[in-house]
Amino acid sequence: MAVGAGDNYWRDNRLPGILKHRIIRRYLPLYLARTSSKDGRAVYIDGYAGRGFYENGEAGSAGLLMEFALEAQGEYILRLFEKDKTNYEHLNSAAEKFAAEGVNVKCERGDVVDKIENTVTEADGLPLFLFLDPCGVGLPFEMVVNAMNRPAAGEWPPTELLMNFSWEAIRRIGGHVSSPRGSEKTLERLDTALGGDWWREHFLAGTSDEAVEAVVDGFINRLGAATNCSVASLPVRRKPSHKPIYSLVYATRSPRGFWHFADITAKSLEDVRIAHEALAEPGFFSIATPQQDAENAALPDIEKNILSILEKRSEFIVGDFPFLVFGEHIGTVGEKIVRKAIKSLHRQGRTPSTGVGGKTENLKVVRPKR
Ligand SMILES: C[S@@+](CC[C@H](N)C(=O)[O-])C[C@H]1O[C@@H](n2cnc3c(N)ncnc32)[C@H](O)[C@@H]1O
């Protein structure tokens, strides 16, 4: 069985949770502030909200959002769902305090599967961020896709998703495919979450890391195709030598959204690496190298990437092309390296653009006149 979020889970924020919460703390305020600038409102749905706060007072996902909404100027509509009675009671008592101070927050006890459609409909016309953080298998694929493709989805209003996609659940349930005692009911549960039984073939020869990876890749590709989104998967491990326990899967239609998410991911990974060092426990992510090493390795590649874009375009804004600019370094180094790359190219006489001033995402790079 997948390990649930029982009492021990809520004692303090374990290291794998730190990355998730650092990303939420940095990215959600940015997304909500950016998207609500049009009519002052944006909606956040936390489908597996948990208790809101750990016993030591540290905020979980719902707590972070309530704290942000209390401080912020815009009107943020927070909709939280929690199935477990004890967790719900903790969450509700925190939410009541924030609501009394003016935060537009409502939490409901129940299965998010029964609530998601209506809640997404209520967000019609407004920017929406969907956070899905189950302990094991999550929402049916079709429900996730419908939420992302809600009416009028496209340029406006934007819809984004961050979900916890469990490698452990795939590994465990995948074992049922070739086992004589495998449970068809369990297999069907994963079919529903993955949008069909396409994944089963990867486990016909038994469980392997390759099978799990193929299913994670297949899911991401299917989600991207069904929603017309760019989708990123950030594997989270307990230690570098461990297999990932889950991926944080992020989906957006906005290149700028992706740009910010990648920059924030790099910063958050560095925070986690430092937190691990402080505990004398070496980092547990794929990116275990100090940030300086990652940046030194990325700089020449990003310079090359920029020059390749300039072969096709006479000028461009870097924030419009996060994938082409960062290339394989996306999510491992922050945007400041892009500025550094432009400055370096300027010094070499390969662009008249200086890389000076303004926000990095808005930097324009121009091809030199021949
Ligand atoms: C990993 S914890 C959530 C942690 C929280 N998102 C955070 O970051 O602080 C998952 C939570 O989802 C709840 N849960 C599990 N299945 C659910 C369902 N079908 N609907 C709503 N909540 C559910 C569990 O009780 C648990 O509190």
Side-chain angles (χ1 to χ4, degrees), residues 3-6 9-10 13 17 20-21 24 44 46-54 59-64 81-85 87-88 108-115 131-137 139 164:
V3 179
Y9 181 96
W10 295 106
N13 197 1
K20 173 173 79 180
H21 293 139
I24 289 175
Y44 169 81
D46 196 331
Y48 301 79
R51 295 188 182 184
F53 292 88
Y54 291 84
S61 57
L64 287 169
F81 299 101
E82 174 54 51
K83 191 167 152 185
D84 176 81
K85 183 170 179 289
N87 291 351
Y88 170 77
E108 279 183 63
R109 183 172 171 214
D111 190 334
V112 63
V113 170
D114 303 327
K115 314 275 184 185
F131 180 51
L132 301 172
D133 187 22
C135 298
V137 174
L139 272 187
N164 174 331

Side-chain angles (χ1 to χ4, degrees), residues 228-250:
N228 194 25
C229 281
S230 300
V231 182
S233 159
L234 177 65
V236 180
R237 298 171 165 86
R238 287 199 179 89
K239 294 192 173 172
S241 55
H242 285 196
K243 300 173 199 300
I245 45 180
Y246 61 82
S247 272
L248 286 172
V249 171
Y250 165 73

